[in-house]
Amino acid sequence: MPSNILKERLESKQYEKLLRIDNPDLHEFIAKYIEHCTPEKVFVCTDSVEDIKYIREISIENGEEIKLTAENHTIHFDNYNDQARDKKNTKILLPQGVELDKAINTARRKESLEEIHKIMKDIMKGKELYIRFFCLGPTNSEFSQPVMQMTDSAYVAHSEDLLYRQGFEEFVRQGRNARFFKIVHSAGELDERNTSKNLDKRRVYIDLEKNMVYSANTQYGGNTIGLKKLSMRLAINRGKKEGWLTEHMLVMGVHGPDNRVTYFTGAFPSLCGKTSTSMLDNETVVGDDIAYLRKIDGRVRAVNVEKGVFGIIMGVNSKDDPIIWNALHSSAEIIFSNILMTPEGGVHWIEKDGEIPEKGINYSGEWYKGKKDENGKEITVSHRNARFTISLKNFNNLDPTLHDPKGVEIGGMVYGGRDSDTWVPIKEAFDWAHGIIAYGASLESETTAATLGQEGVRKFNPMSNLDFLSVSLRDYINANLDFAKGLEKEPSIFAVNYFLKDKDGNFLNSREDKKVWYKWAELRANRDVDAIDTPTGRIPKYEDLKKLFKEIINKEFTQEDYNEQFKIRVKENIAKIDRIEKIYRTQIIDAPQILHDILEEQRKRLLSAQEKHGEYIKPSKLAQQGIRF
Ligand code: SPV
Ligand code: MN
């Protein structure tokens, strides 16, 4: 009887709280992992004000967070070598006989479960275990997905408080019917800085069969915050079986004429402007990272899975990101991670306004200007992947629909990567399948100085979701294609590129130009303006952009700007098709035939346009001749 274990190991107050949930399976699960991980104490969080306060205070008491001078602000450090998602040791566990594409990191289920149970045996010794209940997506909704998190990190439990909707009462309400995800996390042994020590035993294992994730010997949020990328992998698998999508997408309201709001989703690989797009100051934000999409009454509807932001802080400054800047300077509850704490209890990060302080404490420990790592490389004031954690309610551009159980109707979907020379700044797909294949499934992003390895290498990242796929690419792409079946109205699909460069390597667009692209996309999604057909999709007409540039950012957009930015680069576009085709032919098992067909049609359109107009085609050529491809 598992409740015996719970009765023995839990203080009566905590035990009583668990008993409020009438679900023997859940009790059995908790008992199993208490027996296995042997925490010294167990705390059950019911989401009461008192319980939430306990988690917040214990994070400071146990040293995982440090109080800063500003009210309600704390800072957390991850181990110097635990600053990002561990792709190598994050694996989808597969039963014997099941295979996924090479691009997805997998391992044999039986052996891996043995390994992780060995690693996690007694891993919580001497520590307190926090048990929390959450709901992904709004509560009381078709989208709701309950999750139980067990963690011995108060920092993780606290972060989740800012990022996710409370779910204890939902578990009570659903009782034995709850079909919930389960996450068991342990930071493992900690060093003198309270950071995970045994990084050689860092593991994130996803067990689809049990809807469960194990995470051990790590603290970095992307590896540990169970409701974020860990549950996302479980949700992709569940959605595939049930006909809904889990996407690595922002959700935003783009404000059009006459108070019209058209909602967009957007998928961008890391460091491609996703958070800053979701925070455009003319628009309203629903979510910045993960969306669930469902077909409801013939329309695509989406919700933000989360209610907070775990955002990259590098580059945030008062001029370019006024909304984030203001929120970070308010008395909202914020957890900073891996930036610099000054001796006065202030903070600094890469490209923050003002001077870089002389010294402080950062992700490398005691830090001073000019400090070098063991290879003689200068250690930056903050880590490039350093983050802030905050609830969305603190942003003044928050869209009122965040918690709407029905979600929002999606009028447009955007895919964008870092691309110096191929895609135009914005274009619209001819139809759903063209958008999914030629834009989403063909998404690549160039590496930057902020990522490891060589700069400027294009990384294939379909739908920016490659790291999180728990189903084959074939199934995932088919699920995206099939999603349009039975829709009364398909959202328009767009591709954007904020990173186009001229031949001297200078960016062709400023950061604020993107405000214009979204206003144009909003008009297009509602068919308020015409567009020009090119071989790779529909592009804006010069007159429309000129007007929008003036109206929105008070900028003169010249015919030369337009010609340079929107010319069709035939050679580069064909080279891209070659690269993508090759990946789908050689690395992906049985990619859908329609993918090859759509790319082949695009190649033909490009070649025939090239015959008439050359390798670089000015849009005016296409417009004047009224060419319809
Ligand atoms: C990303 O890298 O896409 C993130 C941060 O949103 S993480 O939580 O690490 O996934
Ligand atoms: Mn993300």
Side-chain angles (χ1 to χ4, degrees), residues 85 228-229 248 274 289 468:
R85 280 187 276 111
K228 206 173 192 46
K229 298 304 182 351
H248 192 202
K274 187 163 157 214
D289 199 28
F468 314 111

Side-chain angles (χ1 to χ4, degrees), residues 279 285 308-309 323-325 327-328 388 390-399:
M279 292 287 166
V285 61
V309 176
I323 298 169
I324 300 177
W325 180 265
L328 294 184
F388 59 93
I390 187 172
S391 289
L392 274 164
K393 66 179 182 206
N394 300 301
F395 292 100
N396 60 15
N397 62 331
L398 178 61
D399 193 271

Side-chain angles (χ1 to χ4, degrees), residues 85 228-229 232 248-249 268-270 274-275 288-290 306 310 387 464 468:
R85 280 187 276 111
K228 206 173 192 46
K229 298 304 182 351
M232 185 172 175
H248 192 202
M249 284 176 164
F268 300 79
S270 286
K274 187 163 157 214
T275 299
D288 84 318
D289 199 28
I290 309 170
E306 314 176 282
F310 177 59
R387 303 217 164 218
S464 89
F468 314 111

Side-chain angles (χ1 to χ4, degrees), residues 260-271:
R260 180 177 66 200
V261 184
T262 307
Y263 288 93
F264 280 70
T265 61
F268 300 79
S270 286
L271 290 166

Side-chain angles (χ1 to χ4, degrees), residues 172-229:
V172 172
R173 199 177 64 77
Q174 293 194 16
R176 296 169 189 237
N177 298 326
R179 292 167 62 242
F180 54 95
F181 294 159
K182 304 172 273 277
I183 319 286
V184 183
H185 163 253
S186 172
E189 227 183 303
L190 304 181
D191 61 15
E192 63 292 346
R193 302 182 61 219
N194 288 305
T195 72
S196 293
K197 195 168 160 183
N198 300 324
L199 298 182
D200 57 323
K201 297 201 182 70
R202 178 171 57 193
R203 300 286 184 278
V204 179
Y205 283 177
I206 295 106
D207 184 9
L208 302 176
E209 239 172 82
K210 296 265 193 240
N211 274 310
M212 170 173 183
V213 182
Y214 304 84
S215 163
N217 295 306
T218 170
Q219 276 165 315
Y220 169 69
N223 297 323
T224 61
I225 298 173
L227 289 95
K228 206 173 192 46
K229 298 304 182 351

